[in-house]
Amino acid sequence: MTEPQTDVETTEPQAQVDPDEAVPAHRGDPLAEQRAMARSAAVVDRGHREVIAVPGEDRLSWLHLLLTQHVSELPEDTGTEALVLDLNGRVLHHMSVAHVDGVVWLDTDPGGSAELFEYLSKMVFWSKVEPRDATAELAVLSVVGPDTAAVLAAAGVPVPEAPSGAAALPGGGFVRRMPWPGKDAADVVVPRSEREAWFATLTAAGARAAGAMAFEAFRVESLHPRLGIDTDERTIPHEVRWIDSAVHLTKGCYRGQETVARVANMGRPPRNLVLLHLDAGDEELPVPGDTVFKDGRAVGRVGTVTLHHELGAVALALLKRSVPVDAELVAGVESRAAPARIDPDSVPPEEAAPPPGRAAQSGLRG
């Protein structure tokens, strides 16, 4: 294993505060919980997610100007994902979205809603919208697995069309089908006061009780990033696969749009999100923010690290696009350093043709 060179500037790992400490990490056997997600279905309490409600006549047209996603005509009973960027196109906020019963619901990772809500509130001006913090109202439960639809039906819950349909729940809340993690999933967003009762209902309907560790393992397998763990302060959407799911490339008029368009039309992102297989044995695993090295030189950063029921120790990582797929890497430092290799199936394919803007330039020069 190559030792990191001491003259290389490396990334400081983030302080190791568990972002999921407010919910159960597991329900007794995290690997068995993952197997249930792979073969049938499991339900996870994600009630620490934070929720913002945006009602009002102008809700869609107003959000359309602020978010990266095309939502001006988002149909009722539909979900999607969206981002808020800074002026340089770097990701500030990621959210899941549902348009149900005349309200657009935005839910974010814990700790993410206060700054987002402040930004939205400042942008109301004369628009007919009344955004509010709805975290105290609703809690998120997630059903994951190929039997998701059957569990929802057995629980008496509407079964929206996959992958992004949504529907109101009797008594408040909504259900939203999700394209990740795993083969099928749905968020059942319920009145917070009924969170435990709904969890019991979903387990009685056939979903195994599971914890955050299993959900995170499947999220990593799905190559879906988590803001602040798999991203840093320089991350742009193209680097972490949010272009397809959370960004609409042909809409305009949102902050950071220039960077999004420039990278799409003129170049490729400097880094890619990939899956690393870690050969750590019984040793300590890397942590988010640790540096990834090739031949002793920094080539990226570690994101989420997890133990997967089939893949073993794996991690998401942001690596320089120039790193070869077959490169011998080291993830982490000191006692956390582990040999690592890139999963070739996780590497975004290189476009055979140049980006459209660069092709147009070449045509002009020709």
Side-chain angles (χ1 to χ4, degrees):
M1 184 170 65
T2 305
E3 290 295 326
Q5 297 179 5
T6 57
D7 61 344
V8 174
E9 181 181 352
T10 60
T11 303
E12 287 295 325
Q14 300 172 3
Q16 290 309 294
V17 176
D18 181 3
D20 298 321
E21 63 182 354
V23 295
H26 60 82
R27 303 282 179 164
D29 190 339
L31 295 182
E33 294 161 21
Q34 290 184 44
R35 288 191 288 272
M37 289 182 177
R39 300 168 186 171
S40 53
V43 58
V44 181
D45 182 351
R46 300 173 72 217
H48 58 330
R49 284 184 67 80
E50 298 169 352
V51 184
I52 295 172
V54 184
E57 181 181 335
D58 296 337
R59 61 190 180 279
L60 294 178
S61 58
W62 177 70
L63 284 169
H64 188 77
L65 298 175
L66 305 177
L67 306 182
T68 56
Q69 189 58 275
H70 196 298
V71 296
S72 63
E73 299 173 3
L74 185 68
E76 282 269 358
D77 298 332
T78 303
T80 186
E81 296 179 65
L83 308 173
V84 170
L85 309 179
D86 70 9
L87 287 170
N88 295 307
R90 296 170 294 205
V91 181
L92 295 179
H93 303 286
H94 170 269
M95 67 214 73
S96 295
V97 180
H99 185 203
V100 178
D101 272 357
V103 178
V104 178
W105 302 93
L106 315 173
D107 56 284
T108 73
D109 268 319
S113 70
E115 185 179 337
L116 175 60
F117 180 70
E118 181 182 9
Y119 169 66
L120 294 176
S121 298
K122 288 180 178 177
M123 301 302 292
V124 171
F125 302 117
W126 57 84
S127 298
K128 297 176 182 178
V129 291
E130 298 178 354
R132 71 177 188 274
D133 182 349
T135 303
E137 302 173 29
L138 298 175
V140 179
L141 307 176
S142 293
V143 180
V144 180
D147 291 350
T148 291
V151 168
L152 296 180
V157 173
V159 184
E161 289 292 323
S164 57
L169 291 176
F174 59 91
V175 57
R176 173 184 58 211
R177 288 293 277 278
M178 295 292 292
W180 61 273
K183 297 176 181 178
D184 195 4
D187 289 336
V188 186
V189 185
V190 302
R192 186 164 292 275
S193 61
E194 301 173 21
R195 173 180 172 187
E196 292 184 6
W198 269 105
F199 194 90
T201 296
L202 292 166
T203 55
R208 177 173 181 142
M213 292 173 65
F215 186 92
E216 287 295 277
F218 267 64
R219 180 181 62 79
V220 169
E221 182 188 13
S222 299
L223 299 173
H224 195 90
R226 187 168 177 180
L227 188 69
I229 299 177
D230 303 306
T231 67
D232 58 20
E233 69 283 353
R234 297 183 292 116
T235 300
I236 60 175
H238 313 70
E239 296 178 319
V240 290
R241 304 168 187 266
W242 272 332
I243 287 295
D244 292 335
S245 62
V247 177
H248 195 281
L249 285 175
T250 61
K251 67 158 281 191
C253 301
Y254 62 88
R255 192 172 64 183
Q257 176 206 0
E258 293 82 1
T259 296
V260 170
R262 183 167 62 250
V263 175
N265 289 313
M266 298 298 293
R268 296 183 175 90
R271 301 178 295 177
N272 284 323
L273 184 77
V274 300
L275 181 71
L276 295 183
H277 294 270
L278 306 175
D279 184 14
D282 295 329
E283 302 298 320
E284 187 178 359
L285 291 172
V287 298
D290 271 345
T291 301
V292 179
F293 298 92
K294 177 182 178 294
D295 299 328
R297 298 197 176 276
V299 294
R301 70 180 295 279
V302 175
T304 305
V305 181
T306 188
L307 291 175
H308 189 276
H309 72 110
E310 289 183 339
L311 303 176
V314 291
L316 293 178
L318 266 177
L319 299 185
K320 291 182 179 179
R321 192 167 55 84
S322 59
V323 177
V325 174
D326 59 354
E328 295 183 1
L329 305 173
V330 175
V333 296
E334 299 176 348
S335 63
R336 299 192 300 272
R341 58 183 176 84
I342 300 171
D343 187 319
D345 292 335
S346 73
V347 178
E350 288 285 348
E351 298 289 341
R358 195 168 298 281
Q361 281 188 341
S362 299
L364 289 173
R365 286 196 295 269

